[in-house]
Amino acid sequence: MKIAVCVKQVPDTWAEKALKAADSTLDRDAADGVMNELDEYAVEEALKLTEAHGGEVVVVTMGPERAGETVRKALSMGADSGVHLVDETLHGSDALATSYALAEVLKDRGFDLVMFGSESTDARMSVVPAMVAERLGIAQLTFAQKVEVSGPTVTIQRATETGYDTVEAQTPAVVSVVEKINEPRYPSFKGIMAAKKKPVETLSVSDAGLDAARLGLSAAWSQVEDFAARPPKAAGTIVVDEGDGGAKLAGFLAEQKFI
Amino acid sequence: MLLTEKPEYDDLRAGVRQVCADFDGAYWRGLEPDSYPEEFVAALTAAGYLAALVPEEYGGGGATITEASVILEEISASGGNPSACHAQMYVMGTLLRHGSPEQKQRYLPGIAEGSLRLQAFGVTEPGAGSETTRIRTRAERVPEGWRINGQKIWTSRALYSDLMLLLARTTPYEECAKPTEGLSCFIFDMRELRGMTITPIRTMMNHNTTEVFFDDVVIPADSLIGDEGRGFRYILDGMNAERILIASECIGDGRFVLERAVAYAGQREVFGRPIGANQGVQFPLARAYASLRAADLVRYDAAARYDRGESCAAEANMAKLLASDASWAAANAALDAHGGFGFAVEYDIERKFRETRLYQVAPINNNLVLAYLGQHVLGLPKSY
């Protein structure tokens, strides 16, 4: 089976993130870039599936040149090849534009499954997998905590607040995964060395046959008009117990509408 | 930050850091004073880093010494202590260059897949430290193989290793034309032996070092590496690799303490300004940085020469000398910069201070590095 895994480079989860004053987009130089954590789970699951059923894993990313690091990381985990869509025109693309670009790159490549992490730690919208499925006209199996493939049938456990739903579709299909699904492997020494020799196809917007007018900040459906840094933590309120501490605490909680 | 730019190793560094990220300061502190980092070594082994120097035909990584040095440096720089497993890297040279095809086939695939550990290297004895040729542990031929009697000291990780590489006298010192003759190298599986007693030695840092007693221990005849009597040569071959790898660990230690100290000095305010604004705090850190960078360049030079198969004894020795001095100076400056908190265990500075101090003395005393440089590089008379 042929599996595509879409991965995204995001700012290090623990780093202080910043927006650029010039265009209100993410300042990618302000923090180290890492592979979006949930995408690691998607890569791991794709590797497990091809280890069990045979086939190949192609990792696909859209992002600036530096996002190539994320492709190489997936290759060092064991993916077979990469596709990197990189172009200035893509800068500032919203979820609609991203899904358009990814779907165009993915279509006609014969993938049985297209896998995603269920959300990215920077934008946290969780919509791109569904949008890509819609654009490709194939089934979407999202929030998977378990994936099984049997012939042309793919079955997932879709995580819900109270448990899970069992959802089934025919390939080709989109699958997005949650962190319960597995424990991603470390890239191994041999994997890291081998990754240097694996093929990565670099595509520009025109290589991919994309319509530049549908991409980038100017085409985005939402605009950031203003932003401000998170306010510093204010000092806490100290309740001095003069025999009425309990009443004062209850009053404070009531005032804040906690009780 | 704090690196000599070698972008070709960025992926390798990131890979090692990802393993290390699961083993934070609390993990290493929790092992003090003398527990072995089993979980860390298992994770590192599973990801193939400890088999990096095993050739690919035996299932290993086929790495260069430069790549191996980057792995160990990154463990140190993450706050971990690679001494728990570095021997598997530096003793490999003796087995690879001088071991028989049968010995390699017997051990290397197991080491590569992680089912066998080669972590113990028995050389030093109570009566013979830097003067290695004075060792007295004897190996005598017997019908069943070789019979070993004697005692080794500072044999680190012997309790956590399956295999041992041993240097022993097969001809007594007095009967040899030259002191370096009559020494032989052996590799064997310790788990199958009777008569070996291993006693841990508590030390200033967590190093899992031991004393090993051999009391009529019989090892198989095919344990001998290469030719009988040429063991000193074979051990020397691994020494340059060891110097380069230890230098790299020191560079990593230096990066760790310096990054911590710089962060602390920039944030800790006294008299209304960060303490890093004071030259008394800032300059020792700046000097330590310069020394680390310089040592790092010599380390890469030594490693590149080693990888090209060139002579690198002078560079490997200088790398070890400069890097251990630089990491010690950095740890000392970091301790000063942290003030009282540097002595608090939870800051990890005092631990690194203890760990990196070792490398002024081991695996070779820095004075003997100077003696080597004076005599063999500068051509001055022997000083000892």
Side-chain angles (χ1 to χ4, degrees):
Chain A
M1 69 192 312
K2 194 171 172 184
I3 305 179
V5 185
C6 296
V7 300
K8 181 180 185 184
Q9 189 178 49
V10 296
D12 189 350
T13 321
W14 304 108
E16 194 62 38
K17 293 157 195 117
L19 298 183
K20 283 191 290 193
D23 62 0
S24 304
T25 59
L26 178 68
D27 184 356
R28 290 178 187 271
D29 296 329
D32 285 341
V34 298
M35 189 195 295
N36 178 46
E37 197 181 341
L38 280 170
D39 299 348
E40 287 186 32
Y41 291 79
V43 172
E44 175 65 35
E45 198 60 23
L47 292 172
K48 280 186 166 167
L49 287 170
T50 52
E51 281 160 8
H53 301 280
E56 64 170 312
V57 175
V58 182
V59 56
V60 178
T61 201
M62 165 178 147
E65 205 180 323
R66 202 171 83 165
E69 296 164 8
T70 293
V71 174
R72 281 205 309 280
K73 174 157 184 193
L75 296 178
S76 66
M77 288 172 75
D80 299 284
S81 62
V83 179
H84 184 182
L85 180 61
V86 51
D87 199 305
E88 266 304 304
T89 318
L90 298 163
H91 174 75
S93 291
D94 63 3
L96 278 165
T98 302
S99 64
Y100 159 65
L102 286 177
E104 288 298 307
V105 170
L106 291 163
K107 74 175 190 191
D108 305 328
R109 287 183 185 250
F111 291 116
D112 299 294
L113 290 179
V114 177
M115 302 189 71
F116 290 84
S118 60
E119 67 174 27
S120 62
T121 52
D122 54 353
R124 312 201 72 153
M125 292 178 68
S126 295
V127 293
V128 169
M131 286 178 168
V132 168
E134 191 65 22
R135 290 187 187 278
L136 292 173
I138 61 179
Q140 50 161 309
L141 301 167
T142 50
F143 302 102
Q145 62 178 26
K146 189 174 180 190
V147 179
E148 280 176 342
V149 175
S150 173
T153 305
V154 54
T155 310
I156 70 153
Q157 286 182 1
R158 185 179 203 272
T160 67
E161 277 185 13
T162 50
Y164 62 85
D165 301 324
T166 301
V167 190
E168 190 179 289
Q170 302 298 300
T171 56
V174 163
V175 174
S176 79
V177 306
V178 297
E179 75 272 13
K180 266 189 215 164
I181 195 163
N182 57 43
E183 191 57 48
R185 67 195 68 187
Y186 298 123
S188 70
F189 178 77
K190 278 200 253 188
I192 291 168
M193 293 297 130
K196 293 180 197 292
K197 296 177 195 141
K198 289 179 177 172
V200 177
E201 183 185 354
T202 306
L203 298 175
S204 68
V205 159
S206 62
D207 293 337
L210 297 170
D211 176 3
R214 296 175 66 180
L215 299 166
L217 196 57
S218 56
W221 282 63
S222 60
Q223 304 270 316
V224 176
E225 295 198 338
D226 194 14
F227 65 88
R230 182 169 36 198
K233 272 188 188 167
T237 306
I238 295 170
V239 175
V240 182
D241 184 11
E242 292 160 340
D244 57 352
K248 277 184 183 166
L249 271 179
F252 174 81
L253 292 172
E255 201 177 293
Q256 302 291 322
K257 299 195 167 64
F258 286 118
I259 54 175
Chain B
M1 179 195 175
L2 306 182
L3 283 172
T4 300
E5 301 227 339
K6 293 273 180 187
E8 62 270 39
Y9 302 115
D10 284 354
D11 290 346
L12 179 55
R13 290 184 192 283
V16 177
R17 270 202 304 275
Q18 195 181 349
V19 179
C20 293
D22 290 340
F23 301 91
D24 60 5
Y27 172 78
W28 293 99
R29 290 193 296 275
L31 296 169
E32 298 262 315
D34 57 3
S35 297
Y36 189 72
E38 293 279 1
E39 304 81 2
F40 173 72
V41 172
L44 209 59
T45 304
Y49 291 108
L50 285 189
L53 286 175
V54 176
E56 286 174 288
E57 64 258 40
Y58 296 105
T64 61
I65 210 78
T66 308
E67 287 158 350
S69 79
V70 167
I71 294 171
L72 294 179
E73 176 197 338
E74 216 49 47
I75 296 170
S76 285
S78 78
N81 184 0
S83 78
C85 44
H86 59 191
Q88 186 140 311
M89 298 238 189
Y90 65 65
V91 303
M92 201 58 79
T94 304
L95 177 58
L96 290 180
R97 291 187 184 180
H98 306 290
S100 67
E102 293 75 28
Q103 285 169 332
K104 293 184 200 178
Q105 195 54 52
R106 194 184 316 149
Y107 296 127
L108 291 176
I111 294 171
E113 67 167 35
S115 59
L116 269 182
R117 284 184 189 162
L118 171 54
Q119 299 279 18
F121 187 29
V123 178
T124 306
E125 297 183 4
S130 299
E131 194 179 2
T132 306
T133 56
R134 289 284 184 179
I135 64 167
R136 300 171 67 89
T137 295
R138 279 299 307 271
E140 293 168 289
R141 265 192 192 282
V142 290
E144 313 91 284
W146 296 90
R147 186 170 59 220
I148 316 284
N149 276 292
Q151 181 190 353
K152 294 289 174 185
I153 194 167
W154 311 126
T155 309
S156 298
R157 303 160 299 272
L159 284 170
Y160 302 96
S161 182
D162 304 315
L163 309 179
M164 174 179 276
L165 189 69
L166 176 77
L167 188 70
R169 275 226 161 263
T170 36
T171 309
Y173 185 90
E174 298 73 23
E175 294 171 24
C176 293
K178 290 204 295 190
T180 53
E181 292 174 358
L183 293 161
S184 299
C185 245
F186 300 89
I187 185 166
F188 51 87
D189 194 329
M190 292 188 284
R191 295 171 300 180
E192 301 159 359
L193 300 179
R194 287 162 174 259
M196 258 181 95
T197 309
I198 304 175
T199 314
I201 304 174
R202 286 280 295 272
T203 51
M204 183 171 89
M205 61 285 145
N206 184 3
H207 206 75
N208 310 111
T209 202
T210 70
E211 247 179 322
V212 182
F213 300 89
F214 296 90
D215 186 10
D216 283 336
V217 177
V218 176
I219 60 173
D222 58 6
S223 306
L224 179 71
I225 290 185
D227 298 328
E228 181 182 339
R230 290 174 57 83
F232 190 72
R233 257 290 315 283
Y234 303 157
I235 294 282
L236 278 187
D237 265 355
M239 298 273 184
N240 289 331
E242 182 186 33
R243 309 264 194 277
I244 294 166
L245 295 172
I246 294 290
S248 311
E249 291 182 31
C250 290
I251 301 288
D253 284 340
R255 283 172 51 202
F256 175 84
V257 293
L258 205 50
E259 282 178 20
R260 290 286 180 98
V262 166
Y264 185 80
Q267 154 259 316
R268 165 79 168 167
E269 291 200 2
V270 177
F271 303 119
R273 60 187 197 151
I275 57 170
N278 300 312
Q279 294 178 345
V281 173
Q282 187 182 103
F283 287 5
L285 297 176
R287 183 174 290 277
Y289 174 61
S291 301
L292 274 175
R293 282 293 296 272
D296 202 23
L297 291 170
V298 179
R299 158 267 184 116
Y300 278 119
D301 180 37
R305 285 169 190 268
Y306 185 99
D307 287 333
R308 290 195 299 263
E310 297 170 11
S311 151
C312 65
E315 289 77 13
N317 272 298
M318 287 191 288
K320 188 270 180 186
L321 169 79
L322 295 171
S324 63
D325 279 350
S327 68
W328 168 243
N332 208 24
L335 201 53
D336 279 334
H338 278 81
F341 290 106
F343 297 88
V345 170
E346 69 171 281
Y347 278 69
D348 290 318
I349 299 296
E350 61 83 34
R351 177 171 61 83
K352 273 284 171 214
F353 178 86
R354 289 182 281 120
E355 286 172 3
T356 209
R357 180 63 179 83
L358 172 65
Y359 300 120
Q360 303 262 306
V361 175
I364 181 176
N365 193 296
N366 278 356
N367 278 336
L368 278 168
V369 173
L370 293 171
Y372 175 87
L373 295 174
Q375 185 185 347
H376 295 287
V377 178
L378 301 179
L380 291 166
K382 187 173 179 177
S383 61
Y384 56 96

